[in-house]
């Protein structure tokens, strides 16, 4: 496969539903839009849980590692969200409260908030799409040398859905997810969402632990105080894109990801949090690249690693892959999920990843 150290300009014609989804998955100040999890308007009469199991069965033959295959097998053990959750959203302040938090406030304090029901589909798909798409990123890491699942400590940056995190924890891993979405903070604040996660109905699975942290990493000291080091995996999917962090043209700041620190500080922080031999994975799915002089420049279409290779190596990482083109697999996975019914895969989807190991 060719290496994507340099992406060539392409025609700006895009499938806008895809670009909006990829934008929503990381534009930290906007409300999530309906997305690939809707694969689905056709996604049919299947219940949410049944759909997840069907998706797992569809992509399982594509996975190479034991970890990925067991994660997909564990999808049948994900909890069924049978009752809608009520979240209270203030459109002006963008504050989002859970039902329990809203119950603590007076009618006057709740002025400006609107109650919205969020069902099981939103719980897992959130507007960003199927959580099972993340399993491929873990599959790529697991093809390296890793401890057993029940010994793994994992930190996922910009997790987007609780689904893949629960799968990891249900195999015995200790999992921490970081997000800035106020909606997801409130959505996943119910008893049983986090803490000890029961073992999945998979041979050898053990109970694990899931912790979610709300806020900006690594610039927020309150976030950093909740993170202990010695992780086996630090993974980011559809979050750390060069276009989001270092756009090639001036764009609305709300379209970007603001790390709050310089590149060196970010990379060195990740290095410090990983065990020796631990992995830093950056995996991105993107619409076809648009150059900065295009009529409609799409910053999130540049999915290359935002950090220069020289900086990465200087910070103590061994580069296993740098801007590796994963488009062929992305297309195969997209067909398994049924995305090809909604977009022109050849012109509107590519995959790229960077995989690093702490020396």
């Amino acid at each position: 496969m060719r290496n994507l150290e340099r992406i060539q300009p392409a025609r700006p014609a895009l499938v806008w539903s895809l670009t909006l989804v990829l934008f929503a998955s990381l534009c930290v100040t906007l409300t999530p839009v309906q997305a690939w999890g809707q694969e689905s308007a056709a996604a049919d009469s299947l219940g949410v849980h049944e759909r997840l199991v069907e998706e797992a069965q569809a992509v399982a033959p594509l996975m190479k590692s034991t970890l990925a295959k067991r994660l997909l097998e564990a999808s049948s053990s994900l909890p069924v969200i049978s009752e809608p959750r009520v979240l209270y959203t203030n459109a002006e302040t963008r504050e989002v409260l859970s039902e329990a938090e809203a119950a603590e406030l007076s009618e006057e304090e709740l002025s400006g908030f609107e109650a919205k029901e969020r069902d099981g589909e939103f719980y897992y798909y959130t507007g960003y799409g199927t959580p099972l798409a993340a399993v491929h990123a873990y599959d790529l890491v697991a093809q390296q040398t890793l401890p057993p699942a029940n010994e793994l400590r994992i930190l996922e940056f910009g997790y987007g859905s609780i689904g893949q995190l629960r799968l990891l924890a249900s195999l015995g891993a200790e999992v921490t997810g970081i997000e800035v979405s106020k909606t997801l903070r409130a959505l996943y604040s119910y008893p049983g969402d986090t803490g000890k996660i029961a073992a999945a109905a998979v041979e050898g699975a053990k109970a694990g632990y899931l912790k979610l942290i709300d806020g900006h990493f690594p610039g927020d000291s309150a976030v950093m105080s909740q993170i202990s080091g010695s992780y086996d995996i630090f993974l980011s999917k559809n979050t750390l894109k060069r276009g989001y962090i270092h756009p090639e043209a001036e764009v609305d700041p709300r379209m970007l990801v603001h790390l709050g620190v310089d590149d060196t500080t970010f990379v060195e922080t990740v290095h410090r949090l990983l065990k020796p031999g631990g992995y830093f994975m950056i995996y991105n799915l993107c619409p076809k690249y648009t150059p900065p002089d295009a009529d409609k420049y799409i910053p999130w279409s540049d999915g290359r690693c935002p950090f220069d290779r020289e900086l990465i190596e200087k910070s103590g990482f061994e580069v296993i892959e740098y801007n590796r083109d994963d488009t062929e697999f992305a297309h195969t996975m997209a067909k398994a999920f049924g995305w090809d019914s909604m977009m022109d895969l050849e012109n509107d989807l590519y995959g790229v990843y960077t995989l690093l190991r702490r020396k």
Side-chain angles (χ1 to χ4, degrees):
M1 284 185 163
R2 62 190 172 89
N3 189 285
L4 290 183
E5 301 245 4
R6 188 177 299 276
I7 299 175
Q8 296 301 318
R11 66 177 179 81
L14 299 169
V15 176
W16 281 94
S17 62
L18 170 60
T19 61
L20 285 173
V21 157
L22 292 166
F23 169 51
S25 70
L26 242 285
C27 183
V28 298
T29 58
L30 300 185
T31 301
V33 296
Q34 294 245 284
W36 286 344
Q38 258 190 332
E39 283 124 6
S40 90
D44 47 58
S45 54
L46 276 180
V48 176
H49 195 267
E50 289 81 0
R51 193 195 319 166
L52 283 165
V53 172
E54 279 205 352
E55 289 176 339
Q57 292 170 343
V59 298
L62 307 179
M63 301 301 161
K64 296 181 178 180
S65 70
T66 300
L67 175 64
K69 292 174 182 178
R70 295 181 76 221
L71 285 172
L72 294 172
E73 185 181 354
S75 64
S76 61
S77 297
L78 286 170
V80 175
I81 308 301
S82 56
E83 296 294 330
R85 297 187 170 188
V86 180
L87 303 185
Y88 291 75
T89 303
N90 188 312
E92 183 176 347
T93 65
R94 293 179 179 167
E95 187 176 2
V96 184
L97 305 174
S98 68
E99 195 165 11
E101 290 170 330
E104 298 293 322
L105 301 181
S106 67
E107 185 174 336
E108 182 180 356
E109 289 172 319
L110 278 177
S111 176
F113 284 86
E114 178 184 358
K116 296 182 179 180
E117 287 191 348
R118 299 298 193 182
D119 60 11
E121 176 167 357
F122 192 83
Y123 182 89
Y124 285 115
Y125 290 83
T126 68
Y128 300 152
T130 175
L132 301 185
V135 174
H136 173 52
Y138 284 103
D139 187 38
L140 291 169
V141 179
Q143 291 172 45
Q144 308 296 317
T145 302
L146 281 177
N150 61 293
E151 296 178 14
L152 287 174
R153 297 191 74 236
I154 297 168
L155 182 61
E156 187 167 326
F157 175 62
Y159 60 83
S161 168
I162 202 171
Q164 74 279 5
L165 305 184
R166 287 198 66 111
L167 290 176
L168 289 159
S170 74
L171 295 183
E174 181 185 334
V175 186
T176 299
I178 302 175
E179 256 291 353
V180 295
S181 168
K182 299 181 186 302
T183 296
L184 297 188
R185 182 206 65 80
L187 180 67
Y188 300 139
S189 63
Y190 284 61
D193 287 337
T194 57
K196 186 176 181 180
I197 303 299
V202 174
E203 184 177 357
K206 297 182 180 180
Y209 193 85
L210 174 57
K211 178 179 183 178
L212 300 181
I213 300 175
D214 173 59
H216 293 270
F217 171 92
D220 187 338
S221 60
V223 169
M224 295 305 295
S225 68
Q226 300 177 65
I227 301 173
S228 60
S230 298
Y231 291 96
D232 298 284
I233 301 171
F234 183 105
L235 187 140
S236 165
K237 177 177 174 289
N238 291 344
T239 303
L240 293 174
K241 294 184 175 184
R242 183 169 290 272
Y244 274 139
I245 295 168
H246 300 299
E248 297 179 297
E250 186 175 350
V251 294
D252 186 330
R254 293 177 301 170
M255 293 185 178
L256 304 178
V257 173
H258 304 282
L259 298 178
V261 296
D262 59 34
D263 289 1
T264 299
T265 300
F266 190 96
V267 174
E268 289 182 349
T269 299
V270 175
H271 183 274
R272 186 174 68 252
L273 291 175
L274 287 170
K275 297 176 182 177
Y279 296 95
F280 181 9
M281 164 61 90
I282 299 173
Y283 189 91
N284 293 320
L285 293 173
C286 310
K288 199 161 187 177
Y289 173 76
T290 56
D293 57 354
D295 291 340
K296 293 181 179 179
Y297 170 59
I298 311 297
W300 57 95
S301 71
D302 185 351
R304 294 173 297 168
C305 177
F307 311 118
D308 293 340
R309 183 168 185 150
E310 181 181 2
L311 166 61
I312 288 169
E313 293 177 332
K314 184 179 179 181
S315 299
F317 282 104
E318 172 194 353
V319 176
I320 299 172
E321 298 287 357
Y322 186 72
N323 289 334
R324 174 69 179 265
D325 183 356
D326 198 45
T327 301
E328 182 179 350
F329 185 93
H331 288 177
T332 301
M333 180 174 67
K335 290 174 184 176
F337 284 135
W339 299 344
D340 55 329
S341 66
M342 302 185 308
M343 67 180 77
D344 177 359
L345 298 180
E346 293 301 320
N347 290 310
D348 297 304
L349 176 69
Y350 77 90
V352 57
Y353 70 93
T354 290
L355 179 58
L356 314 172
R357 180 191 290 120
R358 176 182 166 169
K359 294 179 180 178

